[in-house]
Amino acid sequence: MKKVALYPFNKITQGLIRFRDLLDVEIVSVIDFVFQAGCDAGEFVDGTLSDIFIYASQEEGLAGVDTLILNDPGTSFGGNKGIFDENDLTGLWRKLVTYAVLRGIRVISVHDIYDQDTLSWMKENQIKIEVIHGSRDNLFKDMDARYGTEGSNTERYLKQFENEALMFSIPKKIKRIGIFATRGCIGKFTLQMKLFKEFKKNDIPVTAFITEPTGFLFGQPEGDIFKFLAQRPLEQYPYYIDTIVDHSERNGNEWIIMAGQSSILPTSNIAFNSLRFAMLKSFNPDHVLLIVGFNDDEQIRDAIEILRIYSKRPISLLLPDKIESSYGQYEAYPYERRIARKVELQQKFLIHVDLIEEAADVMNLLLETENASSIAGRGK
């Protein structure tokens, strides 16, 4: 896998474009049947020309590549059913995959494919799509040795009390940064990777614990919940997080950065609410950053309170430059409005506020806060 095409031009693809300098592969092109065809992908993502163009034609988009990376499982999800049905994106996805396979192009999906119609179609047409989970074997081996997975469901449930006590009894030297948000698609991954680059630029050993399904492409540990569920039961996910933190520390890293999935605020899905707070408690961040919007003061208050109860009050709020308004569509916010909102938030919540692109300032705030905490701890 050296020269790759990405499909479609969604937020996962945009993250790969934005941080392509951290990848071991060359992105040659992007294919999208609905949005931004003919545009330079880099210019759309961050305003810089990348010479990576977006094509509506599968023939043009797959020219000169050895691998097609699917950042979409071929079925609707996350509220995009209308666009899928209107543009027959399931049919176009299958035509794209078939075209690639017939030309000997390797096809990789960052998502596990669960849809039975899609799986039946793949079987009938002898289509093979690889799903790469990254270097999980050693992580699972260590997790099993530490927490155990034997016994009946009841025995494993009862053992959770013992395991959770173990998880919190072992002190960790590695400093943990948790990035959360008042809503989804607001820039958590962007801030995470900007901070990751800033730490590395300053020769500070750091791990990015990536909860997007693309961690393997960056050579970093991956925690996408759906890929985890394809291999292990949900109850083991907190142990997996703890094992990643432990691995990062033993590998000599001083910091680890995790961006939570979706919003930190509760939804009507009870299971995912439980998972969200289990992730927060098991990662147990030393420092919390909260990304917020422009008309969500009530949500900000709720998010700060939830973080205060389950973790720590944020040391900073972060403002994005754009927010996804609907599938594939974004609302950009001019600099002047962001600065005005920054002042407003500082006055209203009495908390530090930065813009999401000011990663160097955020890193310095984290280092200063950590140093102050260390000095205070030695003084006790």
Side-chain angles (χ1 to χ4, degrees), residues 6 21 27 41 59 73 79 82 107 173 207 216 234 261-262 264 266 268 283 306 311 316 328 346 372:
L6 307 177
D21 58 317
I27 301 174
E59 293 82 2
V107 181
K173 294 180 180 178
T207 294
F216 71 96
L234 183 62
Q261 288 178 299
S262 189
I264 192 63
S268 58
F283 185 70
I306 285 170
S311 179
S316 182
Q346 287 172 332

Side-chain angles (χ1 to χ4, degrees), residues 259-280:
Q261 288 178 299
S262 189
S263 165
I264 192 63
L265 296 172
T267 69
S268 58
N269 189 310
I270 296 173
F272 273 91
N273 289 340
S274 301
L275 176 65
R276 184 175 292 119
F277 299 130
M279 169 185 269
L280 180 58

